[in-house]
Amino acid sequence: SMCFDHYFTLGPSSRKILKKRMGKTINSFYSTSIFKKNNNSLKKKINKNKLKCLVIDFNSVEEKKWYSNGRTFVNWKANFNFYHNIFSLSKQYPNISFLIKSKNYLWVKNNYFKNLVKVLNKQKNIKILNNQKKWTPEYSLKYADFAIARYSSLSDQMLYLNKPVLIFNYDGYPGLIYDFGNKILINNFNQLKNKVSLIENNYFKYNKSLEHVRGELFYYPTKKNSIKHLLIYFDNKLKK
C-alpha cells in the first residue's frame, strides 16, 4: 500500500470516500478546485433551438489487440452499442448536434466499426471530432452545451463547468462506485431519450436540478482552496 503526506481532493464526496478507505495512509487532506466556471457567459451562449452535445466514449484498443479487447468491459461491443444509441438519438433530435469526442480514433479504422462509421458519417447532425489539434478537450468542453458520456474525467469537467451531463451506467459502472443520481445516470435508451427531451425543452431548469450533485462532488474556487494559495502554503512549509 502507498502512504502520502499530502492529498488533494476536488469535492466533499471524494474526500469522504478517501478518508474512509485510505485515512490511515494519508497525513493531510487539502480541498482544491479545478478552475472557475462562468455562469453568465453560459446564459449568453446557449441556443435552445440548436444544442450541441459532446459525446464522450471509452477507449477502443487497436484491431490487432482483439484478444485483450474480449477480456475487458471497455470493449468494442460496448462502444458499438454506445455509438448506435447516439445514432438512434440523432434521428429523433435533428436540431441537436452530436459531437463524438474519443480518447483515440483507432476505432474509426477498425473493421468491427466499419459499417457503423459509414452510417455515422452520413448522418448530418453527427460529427466525429478526429481533428485532435482543433478539438482539444478544453475546446470541446467550451464548445458543447451538454454531454452524453461513458464516465471519464472529461464528463466530470463538463459537470463542473455548469453544463448537464448524462452518464451511461454500463454494467453498474460508475453507479456502484458513486451514485450520481437519476438525473445523471442512464440505464437504458428510453431513459436517455427522456432526459435529452427534458434538456431540449428546458435546458436551464434541468441544469439547475444538478446543483445538489455538483455541491457534493466539487469544491468551487475560494481564496483558501485556490491553486495560488496552496502553492504559497507549500512553499512556506518547504522554507522552514
Side-chain angles (χ1 to χ4, degrees):
S1 61
M2 294 183 289
C3 296
F4 301 92
D5 292 319
H6 309 286
Y7 206 103
F8 295 89
T9 59
L10 292 174
S13 293
S14 59
R15 187 187 184 100
K16 185 177 179 180
I17 292 169
L18 282 165
K19 276 195 170 184
K20 183 178 179 180
R21 295 179 181 175
M22 301 175 62
K24 293 181 180 179
T25 62
I26 298 174
N27 188 34
S28 300
F29 287 88
Y30 299 90
S31 304
T32 189
S33 56
I34 304 174
F35 38 73
K36 193 172 182 180
K37 63 177 182 176
N38 191 333
N39 293 345
N40 292 327
S41 64
L42 180 65
K43 287 184 178 180
K44 291 177 183 177
K45 175 188 170 187
I46 297 298
N47 178 356
K48 64 181 181 179
N49 296 317
K50 192 63 179 174
L51 290 173
K52 299 181 287 293
C53 175
L54 190 66
V55 177
I56 303 167
D57 66 7
F58 269 174
N59 172 59
S60 287
V61 298
E62 56 189 320
E63 197 166 357
K64 67 181 181 181
K65 294 183 178 179
W66 59 269
Y67 182 75
S68 60
N69 168 72
R71 300 176 66 83
T72 174
F73 82 104
V74 184
N75 54 51
W76 300 338
K77 182 180 179 181
N79 271 346
F80 185 100
N81 291 337
F82 177 64
Y83 300 135
H84 194 271
N85 279 326
I86 298 302
F87 172 67
S88 299
L89 203 63
S90 71
K91 292 193 291 184
Q92 297 186 39
Y93 298 90
N95 290 329
I96 297 178
S97 295
F98 295 90
L99 312 166
I100 300 177
K101 174 65 178 168
S102 300
K103 290 192 174 183
N104 64 56
Y105 294 88
L106 296 172
W107 66 277
V108 175
K109 296 180 181 180
N110 188 327
N111 280 320
Y112 187 90
F113 299 96
K114 184 177 180 180
N115 292 330
L116 179 62
V117 169
K118 288 179 181 178
V119 170
L120 294 175
N121 283 330
K122 286 180 181 178
Q123 187 67 11
K124 290 183 179 180
N125 58 332
I126 289 180
K127 183 178 179 66
I128 300 173
L129 306 181
N130 53 0
N131 181 348
Q132 292 176 281
K133 287 187 177 180
K134 175 181 178 180
W135 295 101
T136 62
E138 294 78 13
Y139 180 72
S140 301
L141 290 170
K142 183 179 179 182
Y143 185 82
D145 302 313
F146 73 104
I148 297 171
R150 300 196 66 190
Y151 180 67
S152 74
S153 59
L154 206 60
S155 58
D156 276 346
Q157 289 182 59
M158 177 67 93
L159 188 62
Y160 181 91
L161 285 171
N162 199 38
K163 297 181 180 184
V165 176
L166 305 176
I167 299 173
F168 268 86
N169 192 34
Y170 187 77
D171 281 352
Y173 178 79
L176 291 176
I177 297 173
Y178 181 78
D179 185 6
F180 286 85
N182 60 12
K183 290 280 187 179
I184 291 177
L185 290 180
I186 304 158
N187 294 296
N188 54 59
F189 183 75
N190 283 335
Q191 288 182 9
L192 174 62
K193 187 173 64 172
N194 291 339
K195 287 177 175 59
V196 170
S197 290
L198 290 171
I199 291 172
E200 186 180 51
N201 291 337
N202 197 325
Y203 177 94
F204 291 105
K205 182 180 178 181
Y206 197 89
N207 196 33
K208 190 174 181 180
S209 73
L210 305 180
E211 283 303 297
H212 174 72
V213 181
R214 290 188 180 99
E216 288 290 321
L217 285 173
F218 308 117
Y219 296 115
Y220 284 97
T222 65
K223 186 177 179 181
K224 289 185 73 175
N225 72 11
S226 69
I227 296 296
K228 181 179 179 180
H229 173 84
L230 291 169
L231 288 173
I232 292 171
Y233 170 79
F234 282 113
D235 189 47
N236 290 335
K237 287 205 76 166
L238 289 170
K239 288 177 180 176
K240 289 181 180 179

